[in-house]
Amino acid sequence: MKKALTTDMLSFLLRQLFILIVVQLTFRRNILTDAAGGKWDLLLSNIGISAMHMQLLNNDKVVIFDRTDFGPSNISLPNSKCRNDANDLKLKVDCTAHSVEYDVTANSVRPLMVLTNTLCSSGAAMPDGTLMQTGGFNDGDHNVRTYKPCTDNSCDWQEPNNVLTQRRWYATNHILSDGRQIIIGGRRQFNYEFYPKTSSVDKSFNLPFLVETNDRNIENNLYPFVFLNVDGNLFIFANNRAILFDYTKGVVVKTYPTMPGGDPRNYPSSGSAVLLPLKNLQGGAIGAEVLVCGGAPKGAYVSAVNRSFVPALSTCGRIQITDPNPQWTTETMPLARVMSDMILLPNGKILIVNGASTGTAGWGLGRNPALSPVIYNPDSPSGSRFEVQNPSSRPRMYHSTAILLRDGRVLVGGSNPHIYDKFTGVLFPTDLTLEAFSPAYLDPNLARLRPKITSPASQSNIGYGQQLAIRFTIPPAGTLSKKLVTVTMVAPSFTTHSFSMNQRLLVLSGGNITAFELSNYQILVATPTSRNLAPPGYYLLFVVHQDIPSEGIWVQIK
């Protein structure tokens, strides 16, 4: 009897232990599954405007703006200020703000005063950190606006009038190796110009490629995808074709093959594109590769205008733009997407977020929100590069935006597919919220592996072709895998209309690691050797361990 009882008790305890292990494993699996899908957080329910344009500044504040010609916004200008604009199509005297500064640390917004219409404009941060923003609609189409970061809340928009030589509406800006910006295209503009102006380049220059890629009555070559190649020339993609352009001589260096399928990828078909991370920067021949994803097929715009919403494209094209004989390779996304944003993450992966799965860009021309982001890993084998993430509950349709923050989160806002703000009685109301998407690398379960940079300090200056010593720590509970540590530099983007202008990520060469006292390390890397690799300006620098990035620090390369 006693032996039987002992056996029964042992059997019972073993069963309970087995159940406990299964529960723990199941619970852990659920945690990891959730972590793998990322996490959404609502930051602010009303920032006063819909985020059509966004730029992160080197003081960890984000300039956000909409347009000025739709009537009052939901946030007032301070100190009884008002904007008087006889050219405004809706409101001649407007005492509300159409731009705000978002303080990432305080999670708060401050109203700003933009004077002329910024609808569908463009921009990029200058080498000194000043946001230089160009064009727009109506009274803003020839204007340049600047916003210089400050720490005392005194900064606001400065706006010289009629600076540009041509009307810039739906144009693209890019920082060049000498620190100037080139402004390319725009509605019915088949040319480019530079800013700041000098006596030798105070005019515009013809770009026949934009004529060749213009679809009659639709265009499909607006907001062209522009990237500075490692040789100093510009890769310009418009509609379904691309060229390598020497802007100093005004000549086409190379013509690339038409993207397979021949479908348009630029506005209003509105796919998106990134320059994939630049690696092996100390090698002889540095490769550069471009990824173009999604968009609307041929005829989608006309169909949507006629209230027939065709499925968006689910294909991506990838091309090594530095190859002697470059060819496109195609991949299929798990979800069809139009009007999405593609954001380079600190670990070199790409987040594809926002947009719709049917229709096209334009007022009310999109349907079926694409709520689930996708992460693309360019280093994985073809066929296994996409990973679907946890969905947001908020449709981010036409006029949505996303940018990377210093802490590794992605700031997401916007969505207003209406000519004026509409909050009720419509399929997709105007959205004034601000969200953050936290990729899986920010999951608390991975904190034991997350590096923290201790030196150099944020806001440090670095030069070209130098050895840079970076000190960092790993939590005592973690173990450093030296072979899985990299250092990346990310140029913050100006994002609007599904394209992140000036976005760039460099993986720094080197990587010799020295251990100091417990959990303290130093990694020695080489900074970029050329302004063609890294145009002068502010970058976010990250230490990445096992795909988990540290919080970034600001560095200025000059």
Side-chain angles (χ1 to χ4, degrees):
M1 179 75 178
K2 186 174 181 182
K3 182 178 180 181
L5 181 60
T6 304
T7 303
D8 289 343
M9 288 185 66
L10 181 61
S11 176
F12 171 79
L13 290 172
L14 286 172
R15 285 198 304 273
Q16 294 302 307
L17 180 61
F18 175 77
I19 291 170
L20 180 63
I21 291 172
V22 169
V23 168
Q24 289 295 325
L25 287 176
T26 303
F27 178 67
R28 179 170 176 78
R29 185 168 63 251
N30 287 338
I31 289 175
L32 293 176
T33 301
D34 291 341
K39 178 184 169 219
W40 287 92
D41 291 295
L42 177 65
L43 300 177
L44 292 172
S45 59
N46 185 351
I47 65 169
I49 63 170
S50 188
M52 186 187 296
H53 314 76
M54 286 203 291
Q55 168 80 53
L56 175 66
L57 303 175
N58 65 291
N59 60 355
D60 290 325
K61 295 181 180 179
V62 181
V63 172
I64 304 173
F65 53 101
D66 194 353
R67 47 188 281 219
T68 62
D69 66 343
F70 62 88
S73 73
N74 279 38
I75 184 170
S76 297
L77 287 166
N79 305 319
S80 302
K81 287 197 290 188
C82 297
R83 182 177 62 91
N84 295 275
D85 189 352
N87 296 310
D88 195 298
L89 302 177
K90 186 74 173 175
L91 196 64
K92 307 302 181 186
V93 179
D94 187 356
C95 302
T96 63
H98 299 281
S99 176
V100 298
E101 181 190 72
Y102 172 66
D103 187 322
V104 176
T105 304
N107 191 35
S108 61
V109 294
R110 179 173 68 90
L112 303 174
M113 188 170 184
V114 63
L115 297 176
T116 57
N117 198 351
T118 51
L119 173 65
C120 306
S121 53
S122 53
M126 297 293 281
D128 69 350
T130 298
L131 171 59
M132 198 274 282
Q133 200 276 318
T134 56
F137 179 61
N138 196 20
D139 62 352
D141 60 12
H142 282 72
N143 283 14
V144 171
R145 305 166 197 88
T146 59
Y147 188 88
K148 188 174 181 60
C150 64
T151 57
D152 60 359
N153 290 338
S154 64
C155 40
D156 209 333
W157 287 103
Q158 304 298 315
E159 189 165 353
N161 292 319
N162 296 315
V163 174
L164 303 175
T165 61
Q166 302 292 337
R167 179 177 184 248
R168 299 295 171 193
W169 188 29
Y170 297 90
T172 294
N173 294 27
H174 202 294
I175 293 288
L176 301 174
S177 58
D178 61 5
R180 293 179 300 159
Q181 287 193 35
I182 189 170
I183 310 159
I184 299 176
R187 179 145 284 173
R188 293 179 288 278
Q189 295 297 329
F190 312 113
N191 50 63
Y192 60 96
E193 62 184 289
F194 301 93
Y195 190 87
K197 299 293 184 187
T198 64
S199 57
S200 59
V201 290
D202 60 354
K203 59 182 181 178
S204 62
F205 303 85
N206 289 331
L207 185 55
F209 175 66
L210 295 179
V211 178
E212 298 162 8
T213 54
N214 181 54
D215 287 345
R216 185 181 177 91
N217 298 325
I218 300 175
E219 295 174 286
N220 273 329
N221 65 352
L222 301 177
Y223 282 124
F225 304 143
V226 180
F227 302 105
L228 181 67
N229 191 20
V230 295
D231 62 2
N233 295 313
L234 291 174
F235 175 86
I236 305 175
F237 183 102
N239 198 320
N240 54 18
R241 283 168 279 169
I243 58 173
L244 191 63
F245 185 66
D246 184 340
Y247 63 88
T248 63
K249 298 177 181 177
V251 297
V252 175
V253 176
K254 183 183 293 185
T255 299
Y256 295 93
T258 300
M259 194 167 174
D263 288 307
R265 304 285 179 150
N266 294 87
Y267 184 91
S269 290
S270 292
S272 193
V274 291
L275 178 69
L276 293 180
L278 298 175
K279 301 179 180 179
N280 305 315
L281 304 184
Q282 304 296 314
I286 301 170
E289 204 168 359
V290 168
L291 179 72
V292 179
C293 289
K298 288 179 180 178
Y301 183 80
V302 174
S303 298
V305 169
N306 293 324
R307 318 314 289 173
S308 174
F309 301 95
V310 302
L313 297 170
S314 59
T315 56
C316 296
R318 184 167 166 171
I319 189 168
Q320 189 89 15
I321 66 175
T322 47
D323 273 4
N325 182 31
Q327 299 294 322
W328 290 97
T329 59
T330 58
E331 303 174 82
T332 301
M333 294 187 291
L335 305 167
R337 229 173 185 114
V338 63
M339 298 183 289
S340 62
D341 293 291
M342 295 173 69
I343 303 299
L344 289 165
L345 300 177
N347 59 7
K349 297 179 182 180
I350 294 97
L351 177 71
I352 307 173
V353 67
N354 297 337
S357 58
T358 55
T360 185
W363 302 123
L365 302 184
R367 291 291 185 275
N368 299 321
L371 298 174
S372 296
V374 173
I375 284 183
Y376 177 86
N377 185 354
D379 297 328
S380 291
S382 179
S384 59
R385 291 173 175 155
F386 295 97
E387 183 182 355
V388 179
Q389 304 294 289
N390 289 324
S392 170
S393 61
R394 298 178 180 279
R396 298 289 182 183
M397 306 291 280
Y398 187 42
H399 290 148
S400 298
T401 47
I403 58 168
L404 176 69
L405 298 178
R406 186 165 66 91
D407 58 18
R409 294 178 300 164
V410 174
L411 187 68
V412 179
S415 189
N416 186 14
H418 313 289
I419 297 178
Y420 303 114
D421 282 357
K422 290 188 177 181
F423 300 101
T424 59
V426 290
L427 191 58
F428 302 112
T430 302
D431 197 306
L432 307 183
T433 65
L434 212 53
E435 288 180 287
F437 177 74
S438 298
Y441 54 61
L442 290 175
D443 187 84
N445 290 324
L446 302 176
R448 61 189 174 81
L449 300 174
R450 185 167 298 120
K452 180 180 180 181
I453 298 174
T454 58
S455 174
S458 196
Q459 305 294 335
S460 292
N461 293 331
I462 61 175
Y464 290 95
Q466 295 181 346
Q467 292 291 306
L468 179 63
I470 303 166
R471 292 203 172 191
F472 65 97
T473 61
I474 292 288
T479 302
L480 183 74
S481 299
K482 290 186 177 182
K483 293 183 179 180
L484 299 177
V485 177
T486 57
V487 176
T488 60
M489 278 174 54
V490 184
S493 63
F494 178 91
T495 301
T496 189
H497 287 78
S498 302
F499 185 49
S500 295
M501 303 175 194
N502 207 48
Q503 186 173 215
R504 197 175 195 84
L505 186 148
L506 303 97
V507 181
L508 301 190
S509 301
N512 294 325
I513 296 178
T514 305
F516 291 94
E517 62 269 21
L518 183 65
S519 301
N520 284 262
Y521 304 90
Q522 177 176 285
I523 183 168
L524 196 64
V525 295
T527 62
T529 56
S530 164
R531 293 180 297 177
N532 293 333
L533 297 177
Y538 281 91
Y539 290 76
L540 286 169
L541 186 142
F542 299 89
V543 172
V544 182
H545 175 227
Q546 297 189 41
D547 266 351
I548 302 165
S550 67
E551 185 173 273
I553 63 169
W554 287 104
V555 294
Q556 185 183 23
I557 189 166
K558 58 181 181 178

